[in-house]
């Protein structure tokens, strides 16, 4: 028989490692801390009860993100029975902050402002894609599945998002990007 | 190749990348206390689950003990019943699980009476747990086709061994019950002109109405074509006979020699040795297994035992004198075969004993 102890230790460290990242993603999707925690519990427990050896899972981070999003959408659907609410319509939240290593000087405040402005003009999907790609460094395949899109259209989405954000940058000679296309 | 943004030779873009990597987005953290409590909660749940699993092992050990004890007693009280009829379970599983396989090789074990739900977007959930995660590995190749990455050609195969049953809600909303010892193949979504599933074994299905997309059930011997209706099919590949019973609506059955036979409600179509026969029956008695019930109306005990042997994955033998006795009434499919046989011995004159994992029925 498999040793339960070893598995418990493995799952506990998995939980500690990803708790904050999952909280952030759940928050971005527009949920409260308590709901996110509940959903996380279910995701980890399901994994434990069905596939404790993590067989066939090559990217655990994506797996957890995917499970969390499904859980959250599901519980939201159940809560809103009777009301017609398009959950996909919910805006992806991106709250920009200055990282700890950076000194909160004029320069870093300017960067924060630029990113904020850039993100603000994107669509919800673009924001989510940028968040998944550049903050969480997920692969395009994974983002495609999280957004329920094809890989080419995700690339396109990210590309357009970057282009739009880029236009917010100071002194822009546009032609170099145009050449790229 | 993957990082197409690396190929950009663009100053602004590089700056943007730098900006993005130097800020944090949604930088939320659980407090240490919250993390500790969350972890405790998870560990508690895992421990409870472990106990439940260990508990199941004990249950098996206990039932083995019972068998040994009764077997010893039988040896002393042995009555030689002469010639016997024997029913052997087709798949002897012990802890053989229901198996869900996807055509990309992904497989998953399911508990008895699991409920599967296919969602319209190609995902599948088991007992309300969203579990479509590993199920859409392939790129669908529809490059350029925007958004809605419609997942094509994903096929599931569900193998339900003897002793187990399960139900599935298909992507179109049709409901499917699968009886013991059966195999069903169905797509994640119905994208073609027809909705088509393949069956080897016994099912009951309530087809969601869709006039534009006829539903087709393929079996080894025949096809059943419908628009929206409720019917049961028994078509085990190993068996000479197969039948279709219609509860509601209308179906057309296409036989191997290209005859089309139309059925109306309460009709039972039986194929046997190349010919077919239609009779009027109470359809519920043919599909009541889905509600854990078996109905009998003058059914020989041999047939009843044959059925139970499949339903519970046990081998049963009975003396020829018992085999011919006829049974009337209903039998609840309890969780354990012993309970069913206890009930059976009340409504008929049979006795049963358990020996070496085999059940012996006599009077």
């Amino acid at each position: 028989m498999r040793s339960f102890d070893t598995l418990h230790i493995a799952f506990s460290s998995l939980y500690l490692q990803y708790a904050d990242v999952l909280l952030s993603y759940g928050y971005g999707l527009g949920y409260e801390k308590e709901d996110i925690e509940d959903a996380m519990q279910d995701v980890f427990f399901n994994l434990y009860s069905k596939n404790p050896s993590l067989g066939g899972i090559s990217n655990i981070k994506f797996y957890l993100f995917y499970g969390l999003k499904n859980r959250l959408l599901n519980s939201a659907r159940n809560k809103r029975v009777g009301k017609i609410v398009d959950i996909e319509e919910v805006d992806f939240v991106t709250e920009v902050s200055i990282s700890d290593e950076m000194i909160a000087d004029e320069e870093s405040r300017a960067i924060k402002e630029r990113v904020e402005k850039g993100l603000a003009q994107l669509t919800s999907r673009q924001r989510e894609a940028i968040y998944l790609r550049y903050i969480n460094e997920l692969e395009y395949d994974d983002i495609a599945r999280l957004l329920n899109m094809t890989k080419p259209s995700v690339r396109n989405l990210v590309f357009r998002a970057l282009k739009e954000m880029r236009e917010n940058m100071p002194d822009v000679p546009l032609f170099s990007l145009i050449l790229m296309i | 190749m993957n990082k197409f943004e690396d190929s950009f030779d663009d100053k602004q873009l590089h700056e943007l990348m730098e900006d993005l990597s130097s800020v944090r987005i949604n930088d939320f953290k659980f407090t240490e206390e919250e993390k500790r409590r969350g972890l405790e909660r998870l560990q508690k749940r895992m421990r409870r689950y472990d106990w439940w699993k260990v508990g199941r092992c004990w249950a098996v050990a206990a039932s083995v003990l019972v068998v040994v004890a009764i077997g010893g007693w039988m040896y002393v009280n042995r009555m030689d019943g002469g010639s016997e009829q024997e029913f052997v379970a087709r798949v002897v599983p012990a802890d053989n699980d229901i198996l869900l396989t996807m055509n990309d090789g992904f497989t998953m074990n399911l508990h008895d009476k699991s409920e599967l739900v296919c969602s319209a977007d190609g995902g599948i959930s088991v007992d309300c747990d969203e579990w479509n995660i590993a199920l859409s590995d392939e790129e669908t190749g529809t490059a350029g086709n925007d958004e809605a990455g419609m997942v094509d050609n994903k096929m599931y195969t569900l193998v339900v061994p003897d002793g187990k049953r399960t139900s599935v809600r298909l992507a179109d909303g049709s409901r499917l019950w699968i009886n013991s010892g059966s195999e069903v193949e169905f797509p994640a979504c119905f994208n073609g002109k027809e909705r088509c599933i393949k069956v080897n074994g016994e099912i009951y299905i309530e087809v969601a109405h869709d006039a534009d997309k006829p539903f087709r059930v393929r079996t080894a011997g025949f096809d059943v074509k419908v628009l929206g209706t409720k019917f049961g099919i028994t078509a085990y590949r190993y068996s000479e006979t197969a039948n279709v019973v219609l509860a509601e609506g209308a179906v057309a059955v296409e036989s191997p020699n290209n005859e089309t036979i139309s059925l109306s409600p309460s009709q039972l179509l039986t194929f046997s040795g190349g010919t077919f026969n239609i009779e009027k029956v109470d359809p519920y008695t043919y599909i009541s297994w889905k509600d854990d019930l078996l109905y009998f109306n003058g059914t020989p005990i041999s047939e009843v035992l044959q059925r139970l042997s499949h339903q519970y994955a046990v081998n049963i033998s009975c003396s020829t004198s018992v085999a011919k006795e006829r049974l009337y009434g209903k039998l609840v499919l309890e969780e354990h075969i012993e309970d069913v046989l206890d009930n059976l011995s009340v409504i008929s004159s049979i006795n049963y004993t358990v020996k070496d994992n085999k059940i012996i029925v006599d009077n």
Side-chain angles (χ1 to χ4, degrees):
Chain A
M1 226 203 291
R2 205 173 44 232
S3 156
F4 292 133
D5 282 349
T6 333
L7 283 177
H8 283 197
I9 294 166
F11 269 76
S12 301
S13 61
L14 212 57
Y15 184 90
L16 291 176
Q17 190 183 344
Y18 287 106
D20 290 339
V21 188
L22 290 169
L23 176 69
S24 297
Y25 184 46
Y27 186 87
L29 292 169
Y31 292 85
E32 303 290 326
K33 197 182 215 170
E34 273 170 38
D35 293 334
I36 300 167
E37 226 254 72
D38 285 347
M40 276 169 56
Q41 290 281 337
D42 291 340
V43 171
F44 279 100
F45 177 72
N46 278 340
L47 189 60
Y48 179 74
S49 64
K50 296 200 169 116
N51 188 0
S53 61
L54 308 183
I57 300 172
S58 53
N59 183 350
I60 186 69
K61 186 175 184 178
F62 159 70
Y63 188 97
L64 294 172
F65 268 50
Y66 195 90
L68 183 79
K69 190 174 186 182
N70 271 330
R71 268 275 147 200
L72 288 171
L73 288 180
N74 260 1
S75 63
R77 262 183 216 122
N78 293 344
K79 272 186 195 162
R80 296 177 202 182
V81 178
K83 265 193 255 172
I84 303 161
V85 182
D86 191 352
I87 299 155
E88 304 287 342
E89 288 290 289
V90 173
D91 224 26
F92 192 83
V93 182
T94 44
E95 240 182 74
V96 183
S97 53
I98 299 166
S99 64
D100 304 338
E101 302 90 56
M102 279 180 83
I103 313 147
D105 60 2
E106 205 60 39
E107 163 73 9
S108 54
R109 265 197 293 277
I111 293 174
K112 175 176 178 262
E113 210 164 285
R114 276 208 298 272
V115 176
E116 263 171 356
K117 260 193 191 159
L119 287 169
Q121 58 186 352
L122 302 182
T123 66
S124 172
R125 260 172 184 265
Q126 284 178 322
R127 263 200 301 279
E128 188 172 349
I130 292 286
Y131 171 80
L132 293 170
R133 182 76 188 114
Y134 295 107
I135 303 300
N136 283 292
E137 295 175 332
L138 293 183
E139 296 298 330
Y140 283 105
D141 290 291
D142 297 340
I143 301 172
R145 284 165 69 183
L146 281 164
L147 297 180
N148 196 17
M149 296 168 79
T150 62
K151 191 168 157 184
S153 41
V154 169
R155 279 172 180 275
N156 211 3
L157 185 80
V158 171
F159 179 78
R160 264 185 262 148
L162 288 177
K163 205 181 124 194
E164 271 164 49
M165 286 184 78
R166 176 194 165 288
E167 274 153 20
N168 234 19
M169 306 292 289
D171 45 68
V172 194
L174 245 179
F175 70 91
S176 56
L177 186 69
I178 292 165
L179 281 179
M180 281 300 308
I181 312 166
Chain B
M1 199 45 204
N2 225 346
K3 293 197 165 186
F4 71 94
E5 54 274 45
D6 286 352
S7 62
F8 286 15
D9 184 23
D10 182 284
K11 195 164 159 274
Q12 269 73 31
L13 211 64
H14 281 299
E15 271 174 30
L16 173 57
M17 291 297 147
E18 238 163 68
D19 279 4
L20 276 172
S21 63
S22 59
V23 295
R24 301 223 161 142
I25 297 180
N26 296 351
D27 189 22
F28 297 98
K29 290 189 168 76
F30 286 110
T31 63
E32 285 307 309
E33 173 62 18
E34 282 169 330
K35 256 190 210 169
R36 195 183 54 74
R37 263 188 289 128
L39 191 58
E40 254 171 35
R41 197 171 145 200
L42 178 66
Q43 284 171 339
K44 216 180 195 168
R45 245 174 123 179
M46 292 194 293
R47 267 199 303 276
R48 247 196 339 253
Y49 179 77
D50 294 344
W51 275 110
W52 177 75
K53 278 188 95 167
V54 173
R56 276 204 312 185
C57 295
W58 275 106
V60 172
S63 65
V64 169
L65 271 176
V66 171
V67 169
V68 171
I70 296 177
W73 178 81
M74 248 308 282
Y75 188 73
V76 181
N77 293 278
R78 177 113 199 211
M79 339 192 296
D80 232 344
S83 57
E84 283 185 341
Q85 262 183 298
E86 200 163 334
F87 309 106
V88 182
R90 289 156 300 191
V91 191
V92 185
D95 57 342
N96 208 352
D97 278 339
I98 297 169
L99 208 61
L100 176 71
T101 315
M102 220 199 102
N103 54 353
D104 70 354
F106 173 86
T107 59
M108 186 173 151
N109 294 342
L110 309 177
H111 296 305
D112 190 21
K113 297 192 182 151
S114 287
E115 285 172 28
L116 282 86
V117 178
C118 297
S119 55
D121 60 4
I124 194 162
S125 71
V126 178
D127 295 333
C128 301
D129 285 336
E130 198 71 31
W131 212 247
N132 43 9
I133 185 84
L135 299 179
S136 48
D137 262 315
E138 80 276 91
E139 273 220 0
T140 40
T142 47
N145 260 1
D146 251 1
E147 308 281 334
M150 277 308 283
V151 250
D152 244 307
N153 60 37
K154 276 207 302 186
M155 292 296 289
Y156 296 111
T157 307
L158 197 54
V159 180
V160 183
D162 272 5
K164 302 282 164 70
R165 267 176 291 156
T166 185
S167 69
V168 183
R169 186 182 283 273
L170 297 172
D172 65 338
S174 297
R175 300 195 65 195
L176 176 65
W177 284 263
I178 306 166
N179 207 354
S180 308
S182 304
E183 203 179 309
V184 175
E185 206 181 300
F186 57 94
C189 353
F190 295 102
N191 290 335
K193 279 191 185 129
E194 270 188 342
R195 296 170 284 169
C196 182
I197 66 170
K198 282 185 197 163
V199 173
N200 166 25
E202 181 162 19
I203 60 154
Y204 167 68
I205 186 166
E206 295 180 359
V207 177
H209 184 81
D210 184 350
D212 297 332
K213 267 194 187 185
F215 199 100
R216 182 182 286 273
V217 182
R218 303 204 115 112
T219 74
F222 56 88
D223 282 13
V224 181
K225 202 178 159 186
V226 287
L227 290 178
T229 192
K230 301 177 179 180
F231 63 100
I233 291 183
T234 314
Y236 288 104
R237 210 173 282 146
Y238 70 88
S239 171
E240 287 280 290
T241 61
N243 67 52
V244 180
V245 65
L246 183 63
E248 268 177 37
V251 296
V253 181
E254 294 166 8
S255 75
N257 26 354
N258 284 328
E259 287 165 296
T260 301
I261 308 152
S262 298
L263 288 185
S264 44
S266 299
Q267 280 189 328
L268 170 75
L269 172 70
T270 311
F271 286 101
S272 182
T275 59
F276 69 86
N277 177 42
I278 295 176
E279 57 192 308
K280 201 149 178 83
V281 295
D282 176 1
Y284 187 64
T285 60
Y286 286 82
I287 54 183
S288 55
W289 52 265
K290 78 179 175 69
D291 302 326
D292 298 323
L293 281 176
L294 291 183
Y295 276 93
F296 302 112
N297 189 14
T299 316
I301 288 210
S302 58
E303 245 183 84
V304 176
L305 294 177
Q306 171 88 66
R307 203 153 182 139
L308 292 178
S309 133
H310 295 166
Q311 214 82 59
Y312 289 93
V314 289
N315 297 340
I316 304 177
S317 70
C318 79
S319 57
T320 27
S321 58
V322 179
K324 285 183 210 131
E325 197 183 321
R326 287 177 183 275
L327 211 65
Y328 298 83
K330 74 176 179 189
L331 201 56
V332 179
L333 293 173
E334 313 270 5
E335 201 179 333
H336 301 289
I337 177 91
E338 287 84 357
D339 296 330
V340 182
L341 290 172
D342 282 341
N343 293 341
L344 191 60
S345 56
V346 174
I347 59 173
S348 70
S349 64
I350 68 146
N351 280 315
Y352 75 93
T353 40
V354 183
K355 188 194 171 195
D356 300 340
N357 273 330
K358 198 164 115 179
I359 291 168
I360 298 162
V361 175
D362 52 37
N363 45 7

